């Protein structure tokens, strides 16, 4: 079972979604309570003002905390059922009340905002095994026109281990040939290198230029 910190990693709380889900404001934050196993247990999730998230399960008969569902070595059908329902509640809260917040750079945030305002498209996270990869696609034909990823710079051939936000974009083959230099522009990462290029979202290419190339990529994805 994933711990809470891992479950909420790269997620940003949307406070407006708490009340519709059933969270109740308290002096120190918000709480949500629900029954598990047909009322045998009560689960309470607390989101503190500082964003810290915690969850507690009480045995309704004794009103004592129940913890076996969080013990990895604890086995058995009963513990497994508690663990399954507990995890299900957390999963629903993640999806209903939190937004993905994977890409941290200011350029990435500007790209996401620009695409939302210009094309009314949102990032789509398609791969459970790769939660730091996402794409933008056209509504009319579902073709991708951009991908945002987080990866180590050395995977682009740079002599650094630091991680960075990057964007993959479609481009005309002649433009790719002219632009790719291994410093500002790179061959499309995990893409067809004849038709895609990669830009680091670190300021090495001006944001105005990146936004213009997003527009070009959007048009190229039309066909």
């Amino acid at each position: 079972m994933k711990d809470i910190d891992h479950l909420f990693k790269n997620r940003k709380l949307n406070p407006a979604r708490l009340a519709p889900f059933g969270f109740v404001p308290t002096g120190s934050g918000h709480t949500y309570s629900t029954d598990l196993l047909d009322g045998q247990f009560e689960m309470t999730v607390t989101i503190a003002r500082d964003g810290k998230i915690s969850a507690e399960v009480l045995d309704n008969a004794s009103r004592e905390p129940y913890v076996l569902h969080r013990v990895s070595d604890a086995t058995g059908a009963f513990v497994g059922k508690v663990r399954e329902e507990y995890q299900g509640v957390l999963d629903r809260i993640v999806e209903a009340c939190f937004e993905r917040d994977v890409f941290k750079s200011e350029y990435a945030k500007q790209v996401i905002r620009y695409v939302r305002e210009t094309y009314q498209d949102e990032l789509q996270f398609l791969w459970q095994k790769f939660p730091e990869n996402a794409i933008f696609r056209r509504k009319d034909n579902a073709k991708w026109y951009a991908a945002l990823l987080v990866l180590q710079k050395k995977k682009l051939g740079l002599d650094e281990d630091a991680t960075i936000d990057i964007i993959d974009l479609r481009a005309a083959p002649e433009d790719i040939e002219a632009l790719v230099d291994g410093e500002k522009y790179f061959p499309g990462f995990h893409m067809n290198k004849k038709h895609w290029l990669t830009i680091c979202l670190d300021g090495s290419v001006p944001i105005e230029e990146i936004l213009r190339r997003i527009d070009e990529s959007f048009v190229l994805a039309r066909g």
Side-chain angles (χ1 to χ4, degrees):
M1 184 180 71
K2 297 179 181 178
D3 61 39
I4 285 184
D5 288 341
H6 181 81
L7 187 64
F8 289 87
K9 181 182 178 182
N10 290 330
R11 294 281 185 163
K12 178 175 63 177
L13 175 65
N14 185 334
R17 298 180 180 177
L18 291 177
F21 187 85
F23 276 88
V24 177
T26 66
S28 58
H30 290 78
T31 63
Y32 170 77
S33 295
T34 188
D35 287 338
L36 303 181
L37 267 65
D38 297 322
Q40 293 183 60
F41 299 93
E42 180 184 51
M43 176 177 174
T44 300
V45 179
T46 300
I47 302 177
R49 286 182 176 177
D50 63 1
K52 182 68 175 178
I53 302 163
S54 59
E56 181 182 51
V57 174
L58 291 180
D59 185 319
N60 274 330
S62 66
R63 299 308 293 172
E64 292 291 329
Y66 181 87
V67 298
L68 287 180
H69 63 294
R70 297 198 319 226
V71 178
S72 58
D73 294 337
T75 59
F78 184 81
V79 175
K81 186 62 176 176
V82 176
R83 188 178 287 135
E84 179 184 352
E85 292 197 13
Y86 172 89
Q87 185 69 50
V89 171
L90 293 178
D91 288 342
R92 290 193 295 275
I93 290 172
V94 169
E95 293 305 317
C97 303
F98 287 76
E99 300 172 351
R100 292 185 185 266
D101 188 30
V102 173
F103 306 104
K104 309 297 186 182
S105 67
E106 181 56 34
Y107 267 29
K109 293 181 185 299
Q110 288 188 58
V111 164
I112 294 168
R113 188 164 53 246
Y114 177 78
V115 170
R116 178 181 296 134
E117 293 173 353
T118 306
Y119 300 110
Q120 293 74 55
D121 289 330
E122 298 290 341
L123 279 173
Q124 298 180 30
F125 293 82
L126 304 180
W127 306 279
Q128 188 174 358
K129 290 185 177 181
F130 303 100
E132 295 182 328
N133 297 353
I135 60 98
F136 287 116
R137 67 167 112 214
R138 291 182 61 116
K139 295 184 183 70
D140 53 359
N141 59 14
K143 287 188 176 181
W144 303 2
Y145 59 91
L148 266 65
L149 304 89
V150 180
L151 78 162
Q152 289 181 303
K153 287 186 174 182
K154 65 181 181 181
K155 291 186 177 180
L156 293 176
L158 299 172
D159 189 22
E160 294 184 53
D161 290 330
T163 58
I164 190 171
D165 295 341
I166 67 166
I167 187 168
D168 287 337
L169 295 170
R170 293 176 183 265
E174 60 271 21
D175 290 337
I176 292 174
E177 185 175 353
L179 288 168
V180 169
D181 58 6
E183 296 180 1
K184 292 184 176 181
Y185 287 89
F186 301 83
F189 186 76
H190 277 330
M191 296 292 191
N192 183 319
K193 292 172 174 46
K194 182 179 179 180
H195 298 285
W196 291 79
L197 53 74
T198 292
I199 304 171
C200 296
L201 298 176
D202 61 353
S204 54
V205 176
I207 188 63
E208 295 80 10
E209 186 172 339
I210 295 172
L211 300 183
R212 177 168 56 82
R213 297 204 180 279
I214 290 173
D215 293 336
E216 294 172 354
S217 185
F218 183 85
V219 172
L220 288 169
R222 180 176 54 194

